[in-house]
């Protein structure tokens, strides 16, 4: 398996402050599924920001898709970012754009033809059960609906890696479970998934490899590997499985 | 709006609300300066043309109008024989009265204030004919005849007008700088307001050029709106200025008017301002984005 992400002795500090991440070393194989866990303030969000190129490390080496990010010119960054989907904890939807336009954003910046955008976005909005909310703007949507728009935006361009920052933070357990199943389904399609969460019950329930971060240091539990639960539920999400009553 | 192509709500910014007004005001000043500059150019060109080869001969008033006629005829005959004189034009008494009317009123040309006779001549400047030489020749025919070479005093006037043109050009330049500064400031403010949106656009893979284009397009539209408004405001002022110039009643200044070249110059401000605003916004966004990761 090829690694899509590699961190070697990475450190990060903001300005002249102390290092918030120290000597981070790990790799993510293509098609893997990891949880990134740790207490609040441990450095999860900082690590994610390095992963989706919102920040540059202050030391160490970060390689994405086999390319050293330090060598990447500014012009090449967008092409790397287009292969990464990010679902932010606060969704970061653009309030003045409709659900359709929010989801279409990654395709528009990539210069995809409008007819294709229409087809793909409508298909995805049906998949996340928002076909009746295409023209609705985020401020008038519920938290769950906004979350689905955020997911749709993160996956519309079929990213190779998907990062989700506390995706279950603002939803009840049932919706959280459905959301996790959705991520697993995307993972089955070949997307590398990293989910930052402090919800250990979800981590235990889904039994995927864990990257534990504490006080800015990464601790990979011994014999981490995939500790998948024996009674893991069968997941079979089809495009319309989020419809109507069982929406997330 | 399902297919809304603008990803930034720039239209709703407070910065974009007042920018057209500032641009309109700047355009108004620029239009007045440019129109003034072109009118000054018209005037200085007339003066320059006149100063090139024009000399005025003033024959002192005689005992009677018959005497005036006789002297003037003699002078015209003599002038035709002088080497270097290309053309002679007698200025009629009516024209002289009209020229002097602002100073002397209706009394000009009456018995109490007799008028001198005036002949305008064109000379060949390549010949050796000078004002002094002509004074000597003509003084022998009619003593007291004065020869006024326009080139000397008109050259000073033309230089003064050219300085005024330069000042007007500097004003236009300063207005352009102020407009550029305002666009830079409002673009940066707009970027500050939309910082989170810009971050999202970056995370979904937008190139700097994609983001800059949105700011540039908006700046172009605002530039067009503002400058068109400024021209609308400037138009009645320019017409009023032209009316005042035409009715000065002074023979000193040649007639300057708002001809087509002035209107073309003034209306060119609209696209120029819009393009300047667009290019300034674009380069500001590109420079500012480079500070982001």
């Amino acid at each position: 398996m090829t690694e899509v992400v590699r961190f070697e002795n990475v450190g990060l500090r903001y300005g002249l402050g102390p290092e918030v991440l120290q000597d981070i070393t790990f790799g993510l194989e293509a098609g893997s599924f990891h949880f990134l866990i740790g207490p609040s303030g441990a450095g999860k969000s900082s690590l994610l920001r390095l992963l989706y190129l919102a920040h540059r490390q202050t030391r160490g080496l970060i390689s994405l898709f086999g390319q050293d990010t330090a060598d990447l010119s500014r012009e090449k960054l967008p092409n790397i970012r287009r292969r990464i989907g990010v679902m932010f904890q606060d969704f970061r939807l653009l309030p003045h754009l409709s659900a359709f336009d929010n989801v279409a954003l990654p395709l528009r910046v990539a210069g995809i033809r409008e007819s294709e955008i229409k087809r793909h976005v409508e298909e995805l909005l049906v998949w996340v059960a928002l076909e009746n909310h295409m023209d609705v703007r985020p401020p008038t949507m519920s938290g769950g609906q906004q979350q689905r728009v955020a997911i749709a935006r993160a996956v519309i361009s079929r990213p190779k890696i998907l990062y989700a920052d506390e995706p279950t933070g603002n939803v009840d357990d049932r919706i959280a479970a459905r959301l996790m199943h959705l991520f697993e389904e995307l993972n089955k399609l070949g997307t590398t998934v990293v989910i930052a969460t402090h919800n250990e019950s979800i981590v235990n329930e889904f039994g995927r490899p864990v990257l534990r971060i504490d006080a800015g240091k990464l601790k990979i539990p011994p014999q981490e590997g995939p500790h998948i639960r024996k009674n893991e539920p069968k997941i079979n999400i089809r495009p319309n499985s989020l419809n109507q009553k069982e929406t997330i | 709006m399902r297919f809304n192509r603008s990803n930034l709500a720039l239209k709703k910014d407070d910065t974009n609300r007042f920018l057209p007004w500032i641009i309109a005001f700047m355009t108004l000043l620029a239009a007045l300066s440019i129109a003034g500059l072109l009118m000054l150019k018209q005037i200085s060109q007339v003066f320059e043309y006149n100063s090139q080869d024009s000399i005025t001969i003033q024959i002192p008033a005689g005992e009677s109008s018959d005497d005036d006629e006789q002297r003037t005829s003699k002078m015209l005959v003599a002038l035709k024989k002088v080497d270097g004189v290309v053309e002679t034009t007698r200025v009629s008494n009516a024209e002289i009265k009209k020229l002097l009317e602002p100073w002397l009123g209706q009394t000009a040309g009456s018995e109490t204030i007799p008028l001198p006779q005036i002949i305008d001549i064109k000379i060949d400047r390549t010949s050796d004919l000078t004002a002094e030489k002509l004074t000597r020749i003509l003084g022998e025919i009619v003593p007291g005849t004065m020869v006024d070479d326009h080139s000397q005093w008109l050259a000073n006037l033309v230089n003064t007008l050219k300085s005024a043109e330069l000042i007007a050009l500097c004003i236009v330049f300063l207005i352009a700088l102020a407009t550029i500064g305002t666009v830079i400031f409002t673009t940066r403010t707009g970027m500050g307001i939309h910082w989170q949106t810009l971050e999202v656009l970056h995370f979904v893979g937008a190139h700097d050029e994609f983001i800059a284009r949105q700011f540039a397009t908006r700046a172009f539209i605002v530039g067009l709106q503002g400058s068109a408004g400024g021209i609308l405001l400037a138009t009645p002022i320019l017409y009023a200025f032209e009316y005042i110039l035409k009715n000065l009643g002074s023979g000193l200044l040649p007639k300057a008017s708002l001809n087509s070249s002035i209107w073309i110059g003034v209306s060119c401000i609209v696209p120029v301002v819009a393009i300047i605003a667009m290019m300034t916004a674009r380069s500001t966004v590109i420079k500012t984005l480079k500070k982001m990761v």
Side-chain angles (χ1 to χ4, degrees):
Chain A
M1 292 283 267
T2 53
E3 277 188 342
V4 286
V5 176
R6 167 118 307 260
F7 273 49
E8 296 277 358
N9 299 313
V10 171
L12 172 70
R13 68 171 79 236
Y14 296 109
L16 298 172
E19 271 201 325
V20 291
L21 294 176
Q22 298 163 37
D23 301 317
I24 306 287
T25 299
F26 71 96
L28 297 179
E29 288 183 344
S32 62
F33 190 124
H34 285 78
F35 283 108
L36 174 63
I37 63 168
S40 292
K44 295 193 297 292
S45 294
S46 292
L47 183 57
L48 277 183
R49 287 181 72 80
L50 289 180
L51 282 164
Y52 59 73
L53 296 171
H55 264 291
R56 294 285 181 123
Q57 73 273 29
T58 37
R59 64 183 173 88
L61 178 142
I62 296 176
S63 166
L64 291 177
F65 307 107
Q67 293 182 75
D68 183 351
T69 56
D71 295 338
L72 283 175
S73 66
R74 188 166 178 79
E75 287 68 36
K76 285 183 181 168
L77 280 177
N79 290 332
I80 296 286
R81 284 180 173 137
R82 283 173 198 173
R83 295 157 79 181
I84 300 170
V86 187
M87 188 191 158
F88 299 97
Q89 189 174 3
D90 54 359
F91 312 137
R92 300 218 194 158
L93 299 175
L94 306 191
H96 58 281
L97 296 184
S98 65
F100 182 97
D101 286 324
N102 265 287
V103 177
L105 202 55
L107 300 181
R108 288 212 170 113
V109 301
I112 307 292
R113 275 188 294 122
E114 207 60 40
S115 58
E116 269 190 66
I117 290 174
K118 185 176 184 293
R119 189 165 58 82
H120 287 302
V121 174
E122 284 181 351
E123 193 179 300
L124 195 56
L125 284 172
V126 169
W127 189 51
V128 294
L130 285 173
E131 66 271 29
N132 296 324
H133 293 77
M134 289 191 189
D135 296 326
V136 180
R137 293 180 184 188
T140 56
M141 289 176 150
S142 70
Q145 287 170 335
Q146 288 186 34
Q147 194 169 37
R148 277 179 278 158
V149 175
I151 293 167
R153 188 182 67 187
V155 302
I156 185 75
S157 53
R158 297 176 194 274
K160 299 281 179 213
I161 309 174
L162 176 68
Y163 300 123
D165 192 3
E166 300 283 4
T168 58
N170 301 315
V171 292
D172 62 41
D173 288 349
R174 189 182 64 85
I175 293 173
R178 291 200 61 80
L179 200 55
M180 293 311 300
H181 291 162
L182 173 64
F183 288 136
E184 288 206 314
E185 192 66 15
L186 289 167
N187 178 239
K188 281 179 184 173
L189 295 171
T191 306
T192 305
V193 178
V194 177
I195 293 174
T197 184
H198 60 265
N199 187 341
E200 297 227 9
S201 65
I202 290 250
V203 177
N204 293 332
E205 188 182 341
F206 281 83
R208 293 290 192 156
V210 170
L211 300 167
R212 185 181 294 277
I213 193 160
D214 198 0
K217 289 185 176 169
L218 192 66
K219 292 165 184 170
I220 301 171
Q223 295 151 3
E224 181 44 64
H227 57 276
I228 299 166
R229 281 190 336 152
K230 285 173 191 164
N231 59 342
E232 185 182 8
K234 292 270 183 191
I235 304 157
N236 187 17
I237 299 178
R238 291 193 197 89
N240 287 329
S241 64
L242 293 168
N243 270 343
Q244 310 303 323
K245 291 172 189 169
E246 292 202 323
T247 55
I248 49 173
Chain B
M1 278 284 286
R2 180 169 295 186
F3 298 111
N4 181 5
R5 299 308 299 270
S6 173
N7 306 118
L8 298 162
L10 297 173
K11 205 175 173 182
K12 291 175 183 169
D13 279 358
D14 282 342
T15 50
N16 272 304
R17 277 189 204 137
F18 78 83
L19 186 58
W21 290 101
I22 292 179
I23 289 180
F25 182 66
M26 298 288 188
T27 306
L28 168 67
L29 295 178
L32 296 180
S33 303
I34 288 173
L37 188 147
L38 293 173
M39 280 172 130
L40 284 174
K41 212 165 190 64
Q42 269 184 26
I43 294 169
S44 66
Q45 274 171 352
V46 172
F47 280 140
E48 262 183 320
Y49 176 76
N50 286 343
S51 70
Q52 277 173 4
D53 51 6
S54 177
I55 283 180
T56 301
I57 294 160
Q58 194 179 306
I59 307 159
E63 302 285 320
S64 61
S65 55
D66 289 343
D67 191 18
D68 284 341
E69 279 300 316
Q70 215 175 15
R71 287 171 165 211
T72 309
S73 302
K74 257 205 270 181
M75 200 64 91
L76 284 168
V77 171
L79 279 167
K80 279 180 185 165
K81 291 176 187 165
V82 178
D83 274 347
V85 174
V86 179
E87 187 188 315
T88 55
T89 310
R90 184 182 173 183
V91 181
S92 70
N93 280 348
E95 280 177 277
I96 297 168
K97 276 182 191 175
K98 203 177 164 191
L99 281 171
L100 293 174
E101 215 173 72
W103 290 276
L104 304 177
Q106 296 294 329
T107 55
S110 65
E111 282 181 10
T112 47
I113 307 174
L115 288 177
Q117 297 301 300
I118 291 174
I119 300 169
D120 273 341
I121 64 165
K122 302 263 183 231
I123 62 163
D124 178 5
R125 289 278 178 197
T126 57
S127 70
D128 61 350
L129 185 64
T130 60
E132 291 75 26
K133 192 176 173 185
L134 207 53
T135 309
R136 241 188 354 263
I137 296 167
L138 301 179
E140 285 170 10
I141 301 163
V142 179
T145 297
M146 287 160 63
V147 174
D148 184 6
D149 188 348
H150 297 181
S151 64
Q152 286 164 7
W153 68 272
L154 277 178
N156 292 334
L157 192 59
V158 167
N159 284 340
T160 309
L161 287 172
K162 287 201 167 164
S163 303
E165 281 172 34
L166 198 67
I167 290 168
L169 205 63
C170 287
I171 291 170
V172 173
F173 181 69
L174 287 175
I175 291 167
L177 278 185
T179 308
I180 289 170
T182 310
V183 173
I184 290 173
F185 174 76
T186 48
T187 304
R188 281 189 183 160
T189 310
M191 289 183 78
I193 292 168
H194 296 285
W195 197 252
Q196 280 207 326
T197 305
L198 301 184
E199 270 195 334
V200 171
L201 286 172
H202 264 163
F203 295 152
V204 298
H207 279 281
D208 291 351
E209 189 59 46
F210 178 89
I211 297 168
R213 208 181 304 135
Q214 305 211 13
F215 278 92
T217 306
R218 186 70 204 143
F220 183 78
I221 293 166
V222 168
L224 271 186
Q225 288 171 339
S227 53
I231 296 297
L232 279 178
L233 290 173
T235 303
I237 298 173
L238 288 174
Y239 272 122
F241 186 59
E242 186 192 34
Y243 178 81
I244 291 166
L245 266 184
K246 275 184 180 166
N247 292 282
L248 269 179
S250 164
L252 270 178
L253 289 174
K255 295 280 183 241
S257 63
L258 292 170
N259 58 24
S260 58
S261 66
I262 290 180
W263 283 118
I264 289 168
V266 167
S267 46
C268 276
I269 297 173
V270 177
V272 167
V273 166
I275 289 167
I276 286 175
M278 182 181 75
M279 288 169 70
T280 307
R282 188 190 162 279
S283 67
T284 305
V285 173
I286 296 277
K287 275 182 195 163
T288 312
L289 287 178
K290 277 188 178 157
K291 291 174 193 163
M292 289 176 84
V293 175

